[in-house]
Amino acid sequence: TANWSRVIRPYAADLMETIRAIDADNLIVVGTRSWSQDVDEAAKEPLPSDSALAYTLHFYAGTHRDSLRDKARAAIDTGLPLLVTEWGAIEANGDGVADLAETERWMAFLRKHQLTHCNWSLHSKGEGASILRPHTPADGNWTASDLTVTGRLTTGIMRTWHDRQYG
């Protein structure tokens, strides 16, 4: 994988400069090594301070557990702004059974640290990450019976986010 200090950081800094020359306020989200899991490395050598800059974190509850939360916590403790641009309740390969207990642990972590997050994935592919059952129409007129286990879990989290106390 590409090195943060020698490859990713300089590339991201060049892109930031290019973006800021066009738009001073647009949000810039920067990834890290290991499918955006090495945010602790970025925290040790962050990009120049920018009020509209965040670093992305990806996790899959069926695979990523305390060790990744520890990396995220280390980054947060340094003040690094994180945004979870991809998470799933299943394994990192996009399949498997939803890990309900570990998803709850992740939601508690996200809530505690006030991290914005996006679930993967809104599609009807026949895999564990899919929110919709296979062959569900793309019209958006979905009912509970159109949702997979992951879909019911994810929509439940969205519907109750402000009502529940995670952790």
Side-chain angles (χ1 to χ4, degrees):
T1 62
N3 179 281
W4 169 257
S5 298
R6 290 189 316 271
V7 178
I8 300 170
R9 186 183 185 283
Y11 178 72
D14 287 347
L15 283 178
M16 279 181 62
E17 228 176 270
T18 301
I19 293 168
R20 290 297 173 242
I22 299 166
D23 188 327
D25 301 318
N26 218 11
L27 176 64
I28 298 172
V29 182
V30 177
T32 61
R33 290 183 331 114
S34 304
W35 299 279
S36 294
Q37 295 170 23
D38 290 338
V39 293
D40 55 327
E41 289 181 354
K44 291 174 187 170
E45 192 178 355
L47 289 157
S49 183
D50 186 299
S51 63
L53 172 69
Y55 296 79
T56 186
L57 175 69
H58 293 178
F59 73 83
Y60 285 85
T63 302
H64 307 114
R65 300 171 188 274
D66 284 334
S67 62
L68 185 53
R69 282 188 291 272
D70 290 345
K71 285 181 170 194
R73 193 175 297 108
I76 291 166
D77 288 349
T78 69
L80 199 77
L82 295 183
L83 174 66
V84 178
T85 59
E86 182 178 320
W87 72 266
I90 41 67
E91 296 171 19
N93 66 2
D95 213 355
V97 177
D99 187 330
L100 304 178
E102 199 60 34
T103 298
E104 285 295 318
R105 285 184 194 95
W106 272 108
M107 293 304 110
F109 182 86
L110 298 180
R111 186 166 186 76
K112 177 181 178 181
H113 297 286
Q114 300 179 4
L115 298 178
T116 298
H117 55 98
C118 302
N119 177 263
W120 181 266
S121 166
L122 178 57
H123 61 64
S124 60
K125 186 177 177 183
E127 67 179 16
S130 297
I131 289 177
L132 300 171
R133 294 167 39 109
H135 311 296
T136 299
D139 61 10
N141 295 315
W142 306 312
T143 66
S145 64
D146 293 320
L147 301 175
T148 62
V149 170
T150 298
R152 289 189 298 278
L153 172 66
T154 304
T155 57
I157 289 167
M158 290 187 305
R159 285 186 180 125
T160 63
W161 186 257
H162 294 291
D163 301 332
R164 286 190 65 186
Q165 294 299 314
Y166 291 92

